[in-house]
């Protein structure tokens, strides 16, 4: 079992490059199921979730023609097994994203109900409801979704809740449906827009991506294309928050400031000095951070995927912060681990009250989910003494070589086998 060992308490300074976005790469990889042509993708991050998705596609019969840091090329021409078994799905909820493309292109799919981080209920009922409205026959038996459709039909779908993967699944399915599909109360995340841009390159007719109403005119076939995965806004936010908490100066290359408004507003409120261009961000922090209140909500509001990192920041900030989590009911599991480092946090329902202290104490802690892992890394970077983080396989699901990038900034951080 690998662990991270951090000796914190000093500022971070330097320059790093941001990786491609995990939450954009996973759905875009699934677009390979919509065509018999080859799909060429660049800027795919080297992450556990990405390798799991590639393994899942391969066991279905997708051919991986190339897979390197510069380009990943896939072809579903010889797809023979439209099944996603439990063994491959249990660690990654995003596997549900193969359902819509398989159903639209192959007319059938058998998908295990998904797993992933234990941060709360993330039901797939919106996916199923939407596909049924498009004419699919769906049954859930023995932990599997069994879906069939001779031909999906476009329709109006109003989603009960805003769901990113639900929007993505239905948008992919609708590209090959007969007629027009209108998705209302659609997710507006940049990753949804990135997926739509890839699909449009493949010949799909999509309007409204990035708004809460997306219109898809179905086409008979889609073709291959080349597509660059967008930069990871959550990785960007995590590094910016780490430097804001620990002090220092950072220059990030290969990012997109236009996807980070809510995060940057809170960092400025905490006292960070930020300059940016189209694909770079420079942050400096020369004073102790100030506490910032936040409330998570769907994009373009403050992202739930940055809540844990900002909690770590607030632990060492001046003042008291109130953090309200509205997306996932179990997303405060990092609180108990932060309290092992002497963090002053009280939880009342879906609200955490954080009283900042000058410095945390290093301690042995355990990662409980992907973003909780990042919060513990930030806490360790600010703490006095040694912090050892266990179960960092969560971290590897969403951050590409985070310890190497932090070391480039001068952090004392090491991965060990223990």
């Amino acid at each position: 079992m690998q662990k991270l060992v951090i000796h914190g308490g000093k500022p971070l300074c330097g320059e790093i490059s941001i990786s491609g976005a995990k939450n954009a790469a996973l759905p875009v990889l699934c677009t390979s199921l919509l065509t018999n042509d080859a799909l060429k993708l660049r800027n795919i991050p080297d992450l556990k979730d990405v390798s799991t998705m590639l393994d899942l596609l391969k066991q279905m019969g997708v051919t991986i023609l190339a897979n390197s840091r510069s380009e990943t090329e896939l072809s579903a021409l010889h797809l023979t097994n439209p099944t996603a078994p439990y063994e491959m799905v249990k660690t990654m909820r995003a596997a549900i994203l193969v359902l819509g493309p398989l159903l639209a292109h192959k007319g059938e799919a058998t998908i295990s109900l998904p797993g992933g981080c234990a941060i709360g209920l993330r039901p797939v009922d919106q996916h199923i409801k939407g596909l049924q409205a498009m004419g699919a026959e769906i049954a859930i038996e023995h932990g599997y979704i069994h879906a069939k459709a001779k031909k999906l039909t476009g329709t109006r779908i109003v989603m009960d809740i805003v769901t990113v993967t639900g929007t993505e699944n239905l948008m992919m399915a609708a590209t090959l449906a007969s007629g027009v599909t209108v998705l209302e109360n659609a997710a507006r995340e940049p990753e949804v827009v990135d997926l739509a841009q890839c699909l449009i390159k493949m010949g799909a007719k999509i309007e409204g991506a990035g708004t809460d109403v997306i219109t898809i005119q179905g086409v008979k076939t889609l073709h291959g294309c080349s597509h660059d995965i967008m930069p990871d806004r959550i990785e960007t936010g995590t590094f910016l928050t780490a430097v804001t908490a620990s002090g220092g100066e950072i220059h990030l290359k290969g990012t997109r400031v236009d996807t980070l408004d809510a995060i940057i507003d809170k960092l400025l409120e905490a006292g960070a000095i930020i300059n940016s261009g189209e694909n770079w961000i420079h942050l400096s922090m020369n004073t102790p951070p100030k506490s910032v209140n936040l409330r998570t909500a769907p994009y373009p509001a403050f992202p739930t995927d940055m809540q844990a990192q900002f909690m770590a920041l607030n632990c060492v900030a001046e003042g008291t912060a109130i953090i309200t989590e509205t997306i996932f009911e179990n997303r405060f599991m990092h609180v108990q681990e932060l309290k092992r480092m002497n963090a002053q946090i009280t939880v009342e329902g879906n609200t955490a009250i954080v009283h900042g202290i000058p410095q945390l104490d290093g301690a042995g802690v355990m990662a409980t989910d992907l973003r909780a892992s990042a919060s513990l890394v930030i806490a360790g970077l600010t703490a006095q003494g040694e912090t050892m983080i266990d179960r960092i396989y969560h971290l590897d699901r969403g951050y590409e070589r985070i310890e190497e990038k932090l070391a480039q900034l001068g952090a004392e951080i090491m991965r060990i086998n223990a």
Side-chain angles (χ1 to χ4, degrees), residues 184-349:
E184 298 190 18
N185 198 27
R188 300 165 59 185
E189 271 71 3
E191 293 80 9
V192 174
V193 177
D194 197 59
L195 173 62
Q197 291 172 343
C198 179
L199 291 168
I200 290 168
K201 292 176 185 176
M202 296 171 69
K205 296 181 179 179
I206 301 172
E207 295 180 353
T211 76
D212 59 359
V213 179
I214 303 176
T215 303
I216 307 102
Q217 171 70 58
V219 297
K220 289 185 178 181
T221 59
L222 295 177
H223 51 73
C225 77
S226 296
H227 182 71
D228 293 324
I229 301 297
M230 67 172 285
D232 195 320
R233 61 191 174 100
I234 304 301
E235 185 194 29
T236 301
T238 298
F239 281 111
L240 293 175
T241 305
V243 177
T244 303
S246 64
E249 192 169 3
I250 189 172
H251 188 85
L252 298 178
K253 301 183 296 181
T255 187
R256 270 181 50 189
V257 69
D258 64 314
T259 65
L260 296 160
D261 289 347
I263 296 170
I264 287 177
D265 284 349
K266 290 298 177 182
L267 292 171
L268 291 170
E269 191 177 328
I273 300 170
I274 300 175
N275 295 296
S276 62
E278 184 178 350
N279 61 357
W280 60 270
I281 299 175
H282 190 94
L283 179 147
S284 57
M285 192 70 183
N286 304 316
T287 59
K290 299 178 178 64
S291 293
V292 291
N293 299 326
L294 60 93
R295 180 184 182 88
T296 65
Y299 189 87
F302 191 89
T304 181
D305 277 355
M306 284 299 302
Q307 175 257 109
Q309 298 91 313
F310 265 75
M311 185 177 288
L313 167 62
N314 278 320
C315 286
V316 294
E318 294 178 346
T320 298
I322 298 174
I323 298 175
T324 304
E325 173 60 55
T326 72
I327 307 297
F328 296 125
E329 70 278 6
N330 290 341
R331 207 160 201 176
F332 281 153
M333 290 192 293
H334 45 282
V335 168
Q336 292 305 315
E337 301 305 305
L338 290 170
K339 289 173 76 170
R340 287 178 52 79
M341 303 176 72
N342 199 33
Q344 305 299 300
I345 307 170
T346 303
V347 175
E348 299 176 1

Side-chain angles (χ1 to χ4, degrees), residues 93 117-125 161 327-331:
R93 183 182 183 275
C117 285
I119 57 176
L121 295 173
R122 297 195 278 185
V124 297
D125 59 319
I161 59 172
I327 307 297
F328 296 125
E329 70 278 6
N330 290 341
R331 207 160 201 176

Side-chain angles (χ1 to χ4, degrees), residues 3-79:
K3 301 181 181 182
L4 281 182
V5 179
I6 303 172
H7 292 89
K10 67 176 187 178
L12 302 174
C13 295
E15 178 180 274
I16 56 175
S17 297
I18 294 300
S19 301
K22 180 196 81 152
N23 289 338
L26 296 177
V28 168
L29 284 168
C30 294
T31 65
S32 63
L33 299 170
L34 288 164
T35 177
N36 290 330
D37 294 345
L39 186 70
K40 296 181 180 180
L41 304 175
R42 292 177 292 271
N43 205 30
I44 294 282
D46 183 13
L47 300 171
K48 179 59 178 175
D49 273 10
V50 170
S51 62
T52 299
M53 181 64 81
L54 288 171
D55 287 343
L56 174 59
L57 293 172
K58 282 192 287 186
Q59 74 88 34
M60 290 179 178
V62 174
T63 304
I64 311 299
L65 301 170
N67 186 21
S68 67
R69 292 196 56 78
S70 58
E71 186 172 90
T72 299
E73 185 174 357
L74 310 89
S75 170
L77 177 61
H78 301 296
L79 188 142

Side-chain angles (χ1 to χ4, degrees), residues 403-418:
E403 75 278 10
E404 294 180 21
K405 292 186 178 183
L406 286 169
Q408 292 177 38
L409 302 177
E412 291 187 34
I413 181 170
M414 180 172 58
R415 183 182 293 251
I416 64 170
N417 293 307

